[in-house]
Amino acid sequence: MRRALLMTLILLAAAAARPPLEPADPQDWWNQVLASRAVKAAEKIEPPSDEQVPYRTAYYHISMSLEPGGSPLIASARTTLDIEGLTDGLEEVALDLVDLVVDYVLENGSPASYTHADGLLTVSLNAPLDSGETTSIAVGYHGDPSDGMWYSTANGGVVYTCGCPFASRNWFPCRDWNFEKAPATIAVTIGDGYDVTSNGHLVSDVPVVNGRHRVTFESRDPIAPYLIMFSATDYSHYRDWFHGENDVPIDYYLYPGMEEDAHADFDYTVPASMAAFEGLFGSYPFERAGYCVSPLPYGGMEHQTCISLLAALVDGTGANYIIFVHEMAHQWWGDAVTARTWKECWLNEGFATYCEVVFDEDQGGDQGRRDRLQIHRNRYNIGDNNNRSPIYDPEPLFGYLPYYKGSWVLNMLRRLLGDEDFYAALTGYQADRLYSWATTEIFRDNCEDFWDGCEQHPDADLDWFFNQWVYQAGHPEYDWWWWTEGSGADTVLHLHLDQVQSTEHDTPYVFEMPVDFGVGFASRPDEVFTVWMDQRSQEFSFALDDEVVSVELDPGYWLLCDSEDRTAVDR
């Protein structure tokens, strides 16, 4: 990766430099991205339980006519939802719809009575719906969304959407929950000066009256409401390909004049990341990949098959490559397999963040893994110091913890299972939940299929791991020291470890984990010894055959912890 980026920089050296449009440090930029998401997600909305879901959406048909810069922005729209009953005798359907004015509601083409208040559109069905039966609800509406869809004067005018986490309801009626995944068709009618991109594949682009055209995309694969999107502006478009298990087109939609920077930023990194992830998690899960630029408030958003990026991130330097990699990783983790609720957001964000580690390891070996984990550790420290909380139902929702501690949790799980079983577990989890939703319990159960247990946990139960690292907060803090007795072939190494972390903010009194120690010897190669720490204070002894010259806790960088070597301290 570094060699490829260096070559790119050399090729671009003669080009006129564009003034920087984002902070010089891409990590600072990403911090701003996370902070923006955290503010937007401050109001958590609790979804229904499985028992409270009497019907499901089987298909989304979204069609709208837009007036960029005018009011209302949505001049007219019609969203049709194909609904399947999951219980008998269903009499009404409740849809989320905020801000917009409802013009009519139809069921299978016939008028249906409805109420629209407090962001909820409740439709009375013309006849009760039984389990397995389907009906079609069409909603006509117009208005100016306060969230989820925006108009910007950038690039001569841009209309763009982003529903994460709770704003799809601001531009189309839906049951705005992560688990409500279904195929979708998105049709946008707009002036001829606007090109349109959306999820899935382009179905048609046809002229209509008064210098306007209608662009239709279809996502054949199920998609969560918050991932449904479109973006419309004067776009320059080019196509690349990923030749993996399948030939996948990669479409780039850019503001005119960005092409050279885009080729430098994308043409190596994007296919390389897809290859790395496909080799470990299974084939790329969708019919198409791609990125589009817009004035996105988040910086980057993992819209299914059409990732949205703030245009300033595409600058030709390669400095922001990890954001492109992170969003691509979401196509596997977050899009193809989606956290059922936002309480489980670490299943999306922790996984995509650990894929940054995976990619840097793929490109730079184990040192690349360590370097990226150190960045994640630094970001975790900020989040933990500001507001320690578990990564399940974290506070704030899109703060540092589900991203960076989530990444470290997967790193530790990989150490526990071993590389082969860890990636087999992820591949199995991906295949089992493909195009559906998941929970931490589902992921844990899948991992247990690849965990043979150990002396301390012979029943192969991983509750102990997930309870302390996912459902509780913080990390272990070790004070430790070592000493030896004897010499030469009769050397005995003693290790003493104390866990000294406070139990405030739901931090475990004892973290139960294997702890590695790297031991350096006077006349033979270094060796790693592993102890099982399951008490507040423990001592371990090892009979050795050479003089010990050094001891290092966690030399492989596998354990999220603080440690202080007090060997030289007068105790």
Side-chain angles (χ1 to χ4, degrees), residues 336-383:
V337 179
T338 306
R340 185 185 186 276
T341 75
W342 288 117
K343 287 184 176 182
E344 309 268 8
C345 69
W346 86 276
L347 294 174
N348 292 4
E349 299 301 348
F351 279 55
T353 305
Y354 192 65
C355 284
E356 300 171 16
V357 177
V358 169
F359 181 74
D360 279 359
E361 182 180 15
D362 178 77
Q363 298 294 298
D366 191 61
Q367 191 59 52
R369 179 186 70 89
R370 291 166 178 258
D371 291 346
R372 183 56 55 183
L373 282 168
Q374 183 60 59
I375 293 172
H376 292 179
R377 176 60 201 266
N378 294 341
R379 297 301 100 198
Y380 162 71
N381 287 347
I382 294 173

Side-chain angles (χ1 to χ4, degrees), residues 176-189:
D176 200 2
W177 309 115
N178 296 3
F179 56 77
E180 195 71 350
K181 302 178 78 168
T185 295
I186 303 97
V188 175
T189 300

Side-chain angles (χ1 to χ4, degrees), residues 446-566:
N446 190 274
C447 291
E448 287 176 349
D449 291 340
F450 296 89
W451 163 243
D452 294 330
C454 60
E455 180 181 349
Q456 292 77 9
H457 293 280
D459 57 356
D461 187 325
L462 285 172
D463 281 345
W464 62 272
F465 179 90
F466 283 86
N467 286 344
Q468 63 189 357
W469 288 113
V470 177
Y471 297 111
Q472 291 184 271
H475 57 272
E477 300 174 27
Y478 300 118
D479 283 354
W480 66 281
W481 56 90
W482 64 276
W483 69 98
T484 60
E485 295 178 337
S487 61
D490 297 317
T491 298
V492 177
L493 169 66
H494 301 281
L495 295 169
H496 181 97
L497 288 88
D498 291 330
Q499 295 195 39
V500 298
Q501 67 272 4
S502 166
T503 58
E504 294 180 340
H505 307 293
D506 200 21
T507 303
Y509 180 69
V510 171
F511 279 87
E512 183 176 2
M513 285 296 290
V515 182
D516 294 332
F517 284 89
V519 178
F521 293 98
S523 57
R524 71 175 181 87
D526 297 351
E527 187 173 350
V528 174
F529 295 86
T530 302
V531 302
W532 193 274
M533 189 71 176
D534 58 4
Q535 300 175 34
R536 190 73 170 180
S537 182
Q538 287 175 267
E539 287 189 359
F540 305 90
S541 299
F542 300 91
L544 305 174
D545 58 4
D546 195 7
E547 178 185 354
V548 175
V549 296
S550 64
V551 179
E552 179 185 4
L553 189 148
D554 190 34
Y557 220 58
W558 292 106
L559 179 60
L560 179 61
C561 69
D562 288 329
S563 66
E564 183 177 355
D565 180 358
R566 299 178 61 81

Side-chain angles (χ1 to χ4, degrees), residues 73 309 546:
L73 176 57
L309 294 172
D546 195 7

Side-chain angles (χ1 to χ4, degrees), residues 410-426:
L410 292 173
N411 190 60
M412 293 184 289
L413 187 60
R414 176 180 168 185
R415 162 67 179 84
L416 188 68
L417 299 181
D419 275 17
E420 182 177 352
D421 285 339
F422 173 73
Y423 286 116
L426 290 185

Side-chain angles (χ1 to χ4, degrees), residues 316-332:
T317 69
N320 300 315
Y321 80 95
I322 208 64
I323 299 176
F324 313 146
V325 168
H326 177 101
E327 302 303 340
M328 179 56 70
H330 271 305
Q331 303 302 298
W332 280 263

